[in-house]
């Protein structure tokens, strides 16, 4: 069993829930930071895994809430060894008509909150070194109609990752950006049907979207292997869609 303590934001459903469950299966203690504070929702979790999960209420858009959640996790478990910044939102709008408050909301949750979470967990990680995995998107390098705010926010995640990796290396803290492509979850299953499914079958070499468990196993392997010379990179998991000709 690996007794390292990993905080995961947005751990209630989708990719975040899959990451939290995979980390618990591998023996980590997992702090599940969610708005409701009830941890993973919508799936059966056996008691053995439940015992390895600490459920904490946290609004990532609120600096004080993030700070309090990390402090509570450290107080209960005695340490924090890694953070997975997974919480995020997706809003679409035509750029010429998009209200500024929509742009701000996406940037605040997807980029500003990532930085704030990194900053607030820093005092805990610097004590013995540690790791931050930010969940970005392969949209960070694309021009996608109706997705200006989302693409910009995920590009910012890559920049945040690179800067913190360089700045905090002397404290033994490594920072990575895991950037998924299209991942089908219970939250977007309806959207993934019809024209989008046909598009993915044509564009993704493997002719399917990814699964949450595939992202979760990738993130868990990065944390589990603890490769000290790997930092600052954006690592894409998109089924080779972005590079397919």
């Amino acid at each position: 069993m690996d007794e390292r303590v990993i905080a995961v934001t947005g751990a209630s459903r989708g990719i975040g829930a899959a990451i939290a469950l995979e980390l618990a299966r591998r023996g980590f203690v997992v702090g599940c930071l969610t708005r409701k504070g009830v941890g993973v929702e919508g799936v059966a979790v056996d008691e053995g895994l439940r015992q390895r999960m600490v459920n904490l209420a946290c609004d990532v858009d609120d600096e004080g809430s993030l700070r309090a959640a990390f402090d509570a996790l450290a107080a209960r478990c005695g340490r924090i060894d890694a953070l997975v910044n997974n919480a995020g939102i997706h809003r679409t709008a035509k750029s010429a008509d998009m209200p500024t408050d929509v742009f701000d909301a996406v940037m605040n949750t997807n980029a500003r909150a990532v930085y704030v979470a990194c900053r607030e967990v820093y005092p805990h990680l610097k004590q013995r070194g540690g790791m931050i995995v930010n969940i970005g998107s392969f949209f960070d390098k694309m021009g996608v109609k109706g997705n200006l705010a989302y693409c910009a926010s995920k590009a910012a995640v890559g920049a945040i990752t690179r800067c913190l990796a360089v700045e905090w290396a002397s404290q033994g803290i490594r920072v990575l950006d895991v950037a998924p492509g299209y991942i089908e979850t219970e939250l977007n299953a309806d959207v993934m049907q019809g024209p989008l499914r046909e598009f993915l079958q044509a564009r993704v070499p493997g002719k399917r979207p990814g699964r949450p468990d595939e992202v979760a196993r990738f993130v868990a392997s990065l944390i589990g292997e603890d490769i000290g010379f790997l930092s600052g990179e954006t690592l894409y998991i998109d089924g080779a869609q972005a590079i397919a000709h």
Side-chain angles (χ1 to χ4, degrees):
M1 303 295 281
D2 193 323
E3 292 299 328
R4 281 183 288 168
V5 178
I6 319 298
V8 181
T9 68
S12 60
R13 293 181 179 273
I15 293 173
I19 291 171
L21 288 168
E22 183 64 25
L23 289 169
R25 291 188 191 101
R26 297 189 184 210
F28 296 98
V29 176
V30 185
C32 298
L33 278 57
T34 65
R35 284 183 179 272
K36 295 180 183 177
V38 297
V40 174
E41 300 180 60
V43 296
V45 181
D46 68 59
E47 186 58 29
L49 294 184
R50 287 282 184 196
Q51 292 179 357
R52 305 196 67 77
M53 304 172 92
V54 179
N55 299 329
L56 297 164
C58 179
D59 178 358
V60 298
D61 290 334
D62 183 323
E63 297 186 24
S65 181
L66 275 166
R67 186 181 309 116
F70 292 140
D71 288 347
L73 180 61
R76 178 162 175 176
C77 300
R79 58 194 290 176
I80 299 176
D81 299 279
L83 164 66
V84 180
N85 261 320
N86 166 79
I89 62 174
H90 186 194
R91 302 284 186 269
T92 59
K94 293 183 178 179
S95 298
D97 304 321
M98 180 170 55
T100 304
D101 60 353
V102 172
F103 179 85
D104 288 344
V106 175
M107 294 299 293
N108 283 342
T109 300
N110 291 3
R112 175 182 177 274
V114 166
Y115 160 64
V116 172
C118 291
R119 185 190 69 200
E120 295 304 325
V121 84
Y122 171 78
H124 302 283
L125 297 185
K126 74 175 184 177
Q127 297 176 20
R128 58 177 61 84
M131 185 174 182
I132 297 171
V133 178
N134 298 320
I135 303 300
S137 169
F138 82 149
F139 274 25
D140 64 355
K141 59 182 179 180
M142 292 186 175
V144 186
K145 294 179 180 179
N147 280 266
L148 183 150
Y150 187 77
C151 292
S153 71
K154 293 304 184 177
V157 170
I160 290 167
T161 297
R162 291 187 291 273
C163 291
L164 295 183
V166 172
E167 193 168 342
W168 292 351
S170 61
Q171 280 77 51
I173 298 172
R174 296 181 298 109
V175 191
L176 293 168
D177 174 16
V178 169
Y182 283 95
I183 306 298
E184 184 172 10
T185 74
E186 75 276 14
L187 301 175
N188 65 13
D190 292 342
V191 178
M192 284 288 184
Q193 303 308 312
L196 180 55
R197 175 72 65 172
E198 295 173 3
F199 169 79
L200 295 176
Q201 288 175 340
R203 286 290 297 123
V204 181
K207 301 186 181 303
R208 67 170 178 87
R211 301 188 306 269
D213 71 283
E214 292 173 312
V215 179
R217 284 184 284 130
F218 184 36
V219 171
S221 67
L222 290 170
I223 294 173
E225 289 296 326
D226 196 23
I227 303 168
F229 208 51
L230 177 60
S231 190
E233 293 297 325
T234 295
L235 306 172
Y236 294 97
I237 175 169
D238 66 353
Q241 179 180 349
I243 61 172
H245 187 272

